[in-house]
Amino acid sequence: MKRYIFSLVITILIVFTTSFESFGQTKASFGGYVRDAKTEEPLIGASVIIEGTQLGAVTNIDGYYEIKNIEPQSYTVTASYVGYQKSSRFNVTVRSGGIPNVNFELSQDIEKLEGVTVRANPFIKNEETPLSIQKLSPEEIATYPGGNNDIAKVAQSLPGVSGSVGGFRNDIIIRGGAPNENVYYLDGIEIPNINHFSTQGSAGGPVGLLNVSFFEGVTLSSSAFASQYDNVLSGVLQFDQRDGNRREFRNNFRLSSSEAAITTEGPLFKKEDEERSNTSFIASVRRSYLQLLFQAIDLPFLPDYWDYQYKLSHKIDDYNELIFTGVGSIDDLTINAPDDFSPEQQAVLDQIPVIKQWSTTSGLSWKRRFKDNSGFMTTALSTNILNNQFEQFQDNVNQEGLVFSNNSQEQEIKLRYNYTKFLEDWTINSGFIVQEAIYTNSTDFAGDRRGFSYENNFNFTRYGANAQASRNFLNDRLGLSAGFRFDGNTFTESGNEIYKTFSPRASISYTLDEKRKWTINASAGRYYKIPPYTILGFANENGEFLNRDAEYIQSDHLVAGIEYLVTPSSRFSIEGFYKRYDNYPVSVIDSVSLANLGGGFSVLGNEEIESVGLGRTYGMEFLYQRKLTKDFYAILAYTLYRSEFTGFDKDEYLRSTWDNQNLITFTGGYKFGNNWELSARVRYLGRTPLAPVDQEATLRAYPSIVRDYSRQGDLLLDPFNQTDIRIDKKWNFDNWTFNIFFEVQNAFVQDLPSEPSFGLRRDDMGDIIQPRELVRIEDVSNSSLLPNLGVVIDF
């Protein structure tokens, strides 16, 4: 059957290719803005050229340029302006169906050397975050192999980032930290999670909910966090959405083996005599039909989801802009009883939860740029809601014999203000955040070992303030930054003792040579995170909150590294990092640090805890990155690390669930002629330590699986090793582009690790044999090759 599907996909690909190849290519165009990187002032008369051609343009009074009559393919585009460093955008794929604006932000050239052209470093950094920062371009996001347009999977290609091993998961694990140690921002608006069927109290889930067609770039900071980011311990992921087209209406349609999505954008209130509108929109909706595939191959669960995303931008004048943006999802994980009995299918059927979930985030932000170009301010008002209905039954098919039920909703209303001021050579950032947290929960442990139920609700205020100062010295060769923030809340017992969350941070960057090839970087900082609402809202059968004495989780970072620019488009870097944790929540019932949890589908933190755990992650990271030059691009990274946490015994560090020790990632591609592209992703992750199943306790609590956390790390899964390959082909016609892609996940059919599975002993008809006995399910092969065929149409 698998061979038949694979052959069918190949045949379809060949038919499409040969059919469209006879059509001729057409010309294309693109444009964008060139601005000052610091003040965002438009640069009038800046030159923009397509390298290797005679094509180019000069910006107008608005800083806008447009280049026409271009042969559709991939180019390097360079912008230059007198007194500024040149900047290049690599891998700009021009297509007749239209492309998003190619924008540039140029930095002033402080060091003026006669006869020497200074080119900006193409790998993003700044004084506040001079290291541990990575960025992916829109084209790298769109053609990511094995990602299936899933932004969470795309982020896993970045150095030091891995996902959970085993199971239907999409977690983001950064340098050995837990999945819920990261924060996510959409154009400055914080979103609590980026996945469908997200684990409440954590952030992971099986499928990403953000549309890749929206993004101008994705930036990851894995340390040296700027002071405006609160509640982060391991990583900040910033998703920069592009503005909708202000000149004409454009659409994007995407169809793959698991979903269909439509994106539309264009100007609003545009008059006939106007070249562009001051108001634009971009919106999308996506529908899964993964549930149809799962039902066809007789899997015991059916994931069904919708998601939507939108952005409305309005330019009030040259100095003021309003942005209204949002994202949401509707998720329904239902049970599908297989036609034929098998022990492994029955075990999944017994243990899978029934999930109905929806989430929404929306925000309005106002950005005001000062008329004297001395700074700007941003004010954002946003709200986000997660509604989670999670149930598990003795009989999931008929939903009888309730074992565990959690029906809860968490909502946040946030006001965030940031102020940036340029004082001669100094950049000063300051701001504050005030947010109202609203939480309701109804939990029934009917068949669980805890055996009680409770209902509660609360609302409280969280607040925080920050400040940071940065400056470059010695003709921009030395960069220094220092800042602090503090946070508090009105719920926990020590929440208003803000001195306990005072978090200083500092960074330094120094360029060793005049050609700016060698740079050393270092940072140190202390960061805090409030425990999840699932922890704060846990109560006993009398409705009394048991975790009001919970402390903010503390993490101290020390990072140092060196970077070498091999060429203007490639770099090599080495970083060493050390993270120390304090006040980590430890489960009272299981005596395990919650740092080891969050990689499953249950609710994280709905239990009594004590803030006594310690932890540490440390290691080295080696990176080689090459932007698209001579038709080839690549990211190769190796992270050698350890991740350890304690329970109640602070002297006993145990290997955490994320302590894989070795992480190798490679993502690269080659662009052939005639708009063909071949790309690949290779991931290797060392052995995964887990706590073995306590079989006696599991038999009593079945279908709940109980682990023996006193033996955390005794069970080691085999290393994870997977290669994904993708082929893209584009055809350009008059005003529209047709792109077909074919990708193969696990191309070399490698056996992927999975946890040991347990179920009740049953007869050939699937009936439970009495007396009940827990048995290990015979391991099944996880070496499937997964083909995926899709089309993308821009028009």
Side-chain angles (χ1 to χ4, degrees), residues 83-104:
Y84 286 76
Q85 298 179 21
K86 284 186 175 182
S87 179
S88 295
R89 290 281 299 273
F90 300 87
N91 199 9
V92 176
T93 300
V94 180
R95 53 184 183 266
S96 59
I99 69 171
N101 284 341
V102 180
N103 301 320
F104 293 89

Side-chain angles (χ1 to χ4, degrees), residues 27 84 158 201 251 357-358 379 481 503 642 644 650 750:
K27 299 295 183 178
Y84 286 76
L158 295 170
N251 304 282
Q357 189 177 100
W358 60 266
T379 306
S481 182
S503 53
R642 295 297 306 268
E644 304 167 325
K650 294 186 177 183
Q750 292 157 314

Side-chain angles (χ1 to χ4, degrees), residues 643-660:
S643 174
E644 304 167 325
F645 289 86
T646 71
F648 287 110
D649 185 352
K650 294 186 177 183
D651 295 324
E652 185 181 11
Y653 281 87
L654 301 175
R655 294 183 62 182
S656 81
T657 303
W658 327 112
D659 184 35
N660 302 97

Side-chain angles (χ1 to χ4, degrees), residues 217-362:
V218 175
T219 304
L220 167 69
S221 304
S222 50
S223 197
F225 311 122
S227 63
Q228 67 261 37
Y229 299 116
D230 63 310
N231 229 34
V232 56
L233 300 178
S234 281
V236 177
L237 267 168
Q238 302 171 71
F239 302 98
D240 298 321
Q241 296 182 115
R242 59 187 179 85
D243 289 337
N245 196 308
R246 295 180 182 270
R247 287 171 164 74
E248 59 183 349
F249 288 94
R250 285 290 182 182
N251 304 282
N252 172 278
F253 174 72
R254 189 174 71 243
L255 178 68
S256 71
S257 301
S258 61
E259 63 184 26
I262 181 72
T263 302
T264 184
E265 60 179 299
L268 293 176
F269 318 117
K270 182 174 178 286
K271 299 178 182 178
E272 291 185 4
D273 59 343
E274 287 182 331
E275 182 181 356
R276 63 181 177 86
S277 173
N278 287 329
T279 307
S280 69
F281 79 95
I282 180 171
S284 76
V285 63
R286 182 171 59 162
R287 175 71 166 108
S288 157
Y289 47 84
L290 196 62
Q291 70 278 9
L292 303 178
L293 174 63
F294 279 31
Q295 190 168 31
I297 60 179
D298 210 25
L299 290 181
F301 57 95
L302 305 176
D304 185 5
Y305 62 83
W306 289 81
D307 59 50
Y308 60 87
Q309 196 168 337
Y310 58 87
K311 179 180 180 180
L312 180 70
S313 303
H314 175 65
K315 185 177 180 182
I316 301 173
D317 54 35
D318 289 341
Y319 301 97
N320 293 274
E321 183 178 20
L322 291 175
I323 296 176
F324 181 56
T325 188
V327 62
S329 66
I330 302 173
D331 306 330
D332 188 2
L333 184 67
T334 57
I335 301 300
N336 176 46
D339 294 331
D340 299 321
F341 168 77
S342 70
E344 61 273 12
Q345 292 276 59
Q346 185 63 49
V348 173
L349 189 64
D350 289 344
Q351 299 163 26
I352 196 75
V354 178
I355 301 175
K356 296 184 183 297
Q357 189 177 100
W358 60 266
S359 66
T360 181
T361 299
S362 59

